[in-house]
Amino acid sequence: MTNAYTTFRRLNERANEGIHKIIGFEGAVMTDSGGYQVLEFGSVDIDPLAMAQFEEKIGSDIAIILDKPTGLNVTKSFAAATVLETLDSARKTLEARTREDMIWTLPVQGGKYLDLVMKSAKASAELDYGCYALGSPVEVMESYDFPLLIQMILSSKPFLPPDRPFHLFGAGHPLIIPLAIALGCDMFDSASYMLYAKNDRYISSSGTIRLEKLEYLPCSCKLCSGMNARELRSLERKERVVALARHNLAALKLSIGETKQAIWEERLWEYVRAKCSNHPAAFQAFRVAIKSGHEGIEIGTPAYKERGVFVFDELDLLRPEIVRHQNRVTSLNLFSKDYLVICPETKTKPFLASELFRELLKVVDIERTLVCYSSSVFGLIPAEISDVFPLSQITHYIEKFPIRDRILNSKAWKRINVLVKRSDPAADWLNEELRNYSLKRKNTIVTTSRNYKSFKKELSKSKYR
């Protein structure tokens, strides 16, 4: 990525050579149009149409329109004006473009005013652009306000065409890149690798470290494999900046590569959470993202995986796989069932294959009886779906149960028979759930057994067959 406005100001006489020859790079080139300079200085000495013509002239592959960035510490009226001005430039650029071999990018403005970001995104979606971007996030990231950044993404990405890439300006921090990818950001740019280098900051897998604080170089890139921290500090200023910049760029590339691998291995949740756990601001951003109910995370999570699901604490109960199951439970057709049988979770998985379930089939009418087992993650799980991912593919050590079980409270059951052992983590939860249920459904007969012998006796006495 390079700056078309800087090229216009300093190398205008070479414009006919094309941007690829000017910068000596034959790959795809994305050009900024001077929006950052507008943010820094208030204005630039070129209008949007002239800039669009110049970007076409130099042969940009991906060109950004000359927008009006919102910035961070501005009034809402100013922010609203930047939204309108950017949309006006976008419409004029569409009318003026003459080349079909370029991808034009439209930034979404609004800054910290999320309602304006949403309004900007919806209006932008009506314009036929090949790529969209989130405008004005640089100052937000510089201040480590990652939660606000995530809210800005959530206020724009869902309202843009899903078949067009979404670019995040200035995303050069390894802690936030994986989460941004999980939320649907496809492209990034940043000069952070060089800015950090000029400030003697070393990008690591957990953030940035001041060079003076480094005793070791915790990296295996070409630079770090060839010298130690003391030798890096001893380099002359200019040489040290170049060396740090090369390392920092490699570290950012590694972050993106690891995220791609995590997606391939179907463990993006674990990877994103681990990265965000390195800084309170990043972890709060993670919490904001998952508690928002953003469908992008759910859509991007496969319905079935070869890997199991790990649950470490209550936050993991918001994993897409778990939330997806809870939502689907409400769609189960339970109207043909009159009786509910609740058993403890068995070591044998799935529950369908357990000896307990086979024994129950001898004493209950499975056509009229819903047999469930209790799980501290999912609540009551019907036996007939116990082999569906992720119900039998989950590893956890928590005892946090649903506040209100959806299956138990889905209807007025004629009879409920419960087998609960004293050592069962579900005992207290089940007793409380059944107590609350009985207060509302006084005609339902509820019996609780502490061992299988009495449980079987109650089932036989209840005439389930």
Side-chain angles (χ1 to χ4, degrees):
M1 183 171 181
T2 191
N3 194 304
Y5 176 70
T6 302
T7 305
F8 170 77
R9 288 293 307 274
R10 300 179 182 177
L11 301 168
N12 200 354
E13 70 281 358
R14 297 183 58 188
N16 289 329
E17 298 178 29
I19 193 64
H20 297 81
K21 186 173 182 180
I22 292 174
I23 66 174
F25 182 69
E26 293 304 317
V29 176
M30 186 177 193
T31 55
D32 198 357
S33 57
Y36 183 77
Q37 283 69 30
V38 172
L39 186 63
E40 287 287 302
F41 308 114
S43 63
V44 291
D45 54 351
I46 188 172
D47 61 66
L49 290 184
M51 176 51 67
Q53 293 169 354
F54 182 75
E55 289 184 277
E56 286 194 335
K57 184 177 182 180
I58 62 177
S60 300
D61 297 297
I62 307 172
I64 303 169
I65 70 166
L66 181 54
D67 57 331
K68 178 69 173 179
T70 302
L72 181 58
N73 298 312
V74 298
T75 64
K76 189 168 186 178
S77 60
F78 179 87
T82 65
V83 170
L84 295 177
E85 187 171 336
T86 296
L87 290 171
D88 183 60
S89 295
R91 296 185 185 96
K92 291 178 178 177
T93 300
L94 282 181
E95 295 173 358
R97 64 181 180 182
T98 59
R99 294 180 55 167
E100 298 297 328
D101 59 342
M102 293 172 58
I103 298 175
W104 282 96
T105 302
L106 171 55
V108 173
Q109 301 299 341
K112 63 183 179 183
Y113 302 102
L114 303 180
D115 57 328
L116 292 180
V117 175
M118 188 181 300
K119 177 182 177 181
S120 176
K122 290 179 178 179
S124 297
E126 297 177 0
L127 302 176
D128 186 23
Y129 272 78
C131 180
Y132 299 87
L134 180 63
S136 307
V138 175
E139 292 175 291
V140 177
M141 282 184 279
E142 287 177 346
S143 62
Y144 269 57
D145 195 349
F146 297 144
L148 175 59
L149 173 66
I150 296 308
Q151 289 177 308
M152 292 169 66
I153 294 174
L154 296 175
S155 298
S156 53
K157 170 64 179 176
F159 305 100
L160 296 168
D163 60 341
R164 309 294 169 85
F166 187 61
H167 183 87
L168 183 60
F169 288 118
H173 201 291
L175 298 186
I176 209 64
I177 288 176
L179 180 55
I181 291 174
L183 294 177
C185 296
D186 306 289
M187 301 163 56
F188 307 88
D189 78 275
S190 178
S192 67
Y193 70 96
M194 178 59 73
L195 297 176
Y196 283 138
K198 290 181 177 179
N199 198 30
D200 276 345
R201 297 190 74 90
Y202 177 100
I203 294 180
S204 73
S205 60
S206 58
T208 62
I209 309 172
R210 291 196 178 276
L211 190 55
E212 63 196 50
K213 300 291 185 180
L214 276 175
E215 184 65 25
Y216 302 95
L217 299 182
C219 174
S220 58
C221 72
K222 186 175 181 180
L223 170 78
C224 298
S225 298
M227 64 173 63
N228 57 40
R230 180 181 54 80
E231 291 170 335
L232 179 57
R233 283 193 296 269
S234 67
L235 295 176
E236 293 294 328
R237 165 72 180 173
K238 185 176 181 180
E239 187 180 1
R240 187 173 70 249
V241 168
V242 172
L244 272 172
R246 287 176 175 170
H247 157 77
N248 289 344
L249 197 57
L252 291 174
K253 183 177 183 297
L254 177 64
S255 179
I256 293 176
E258 287 180 341
T259 307
K260 289 181 176 180
Q261 183 63 25
I263 294 172
W264 179 257
E265 293 179 0
E266 301 178 339
R267 57 179 184 86
L268 182 60
W269 176 279
E270 289 88 350
Y271 180 73
V272 170
R273 173 167 179 164
K275 296 295 287 187
C276 290
S277 296
N278 284 290
H279 193 282
F283 193 70
Q284 181 59 25
F286 177 68
R287 293 176 64 90
V288 168
I290 61 177
K291 290 190 174 184
S292 69
H294 178 48
E295 64 177 10
I297 299 179
E298 200 275 341
I299 291 173
T301 300
Y304 304 96
K305 296 181 179 181
E306 294 183 2
R307 298 173 62 96
V309 173
F310 294 159
V311 174
F312 295 97
D313 56 28
E314 294 180 28
L315 196 61
D316 284 327
L317 296 180
L318 295 174
R319 289 185 64 123
E321 302 94 335
I322 295 175
V323 173
R324 180 185 290 149
H325 164 74
Q326 292 170 338
N327 291 335
R328 287 177 176 174
V329 163
T330 58
S331 66
L332 292 175
N333 184 6
L334 305 176
F335 294 104
S336 62
K337 310 287 187 177
D338 296 319
Y339 308 108
L340 176 63
V341 172
I342 303 174
C343 304
E345 189 169 6
T346 58
K347 291 183 179 180
T348 302
K349 294 183 179 182
F351 183 74
L352 275 171
S354 69
E355 183 179 353
L356 175 58
F357 181 69
R358 290 197 297 269
E359 288 296 318
L360 288 175
L361 291 179
K362 299 175 183 179
V363 293
V364 301
D365 179 359
I366 202 64
E367 296 299 323
R368 300 180 62 196
T369 307
L370 182 68
V371 178
C372 295
Y373 68 95
S374 55
S375 164
S376 60
V377 172
F378 298 104
L380 298 185
I381 298 177
E384 51 260 60
I385 65 168
S386 62
D387 59 341
V388 175
F389 181 88
L391 301 179
S392 294
Q393 297 83 17
I394 189 166
T395 301
H396 66 89
Y397 294 96
I398 67 171
E399 297 179 3
K400 174 67 176 179
F401 291 85
I403 296 176
R404 184 175 183 271
D405 189 80
R406 300 186 183 189
I407 290 180
L408 176 64
N409 293 281
S410 63
K411 61 179 295 182
W413 302 95
K414 290 184 178 180
R415 179 183 289 273
I416 300 175
N417 282 78
V418 184
L419 171 60
V420 55
K421 298 178 180 179
R422 297 185 186 280
S423 60
D424 186 356
D428 292 339
W429 170 74
L430 268 178
N431 289 333
E432 183 65 24
E433 282 288 292
L434 291 170
R435 188 180 301 113
N436 292 333
Y437 178 86
S438 297
L439 291 175
K440 299 177 182 178
R441 310 281 190 178
K442 296 184 179 181
N443 293 327
T444 300
I445 300 173
V446 180
T447 61
T448 301
S449 304
R450 295 294 181 181
N451 57 70
Y452 180 69
K453 185 177 180 180
S454 61
F455 182 55
K456 185 177 180 180
K457 183 178 180 181
E458 285 293 337
L459 292 178
S460 301
K461 187 169 61 176
S462 302
K463 299 180 180 179
Y464 277 89
R465 296 190 66 82

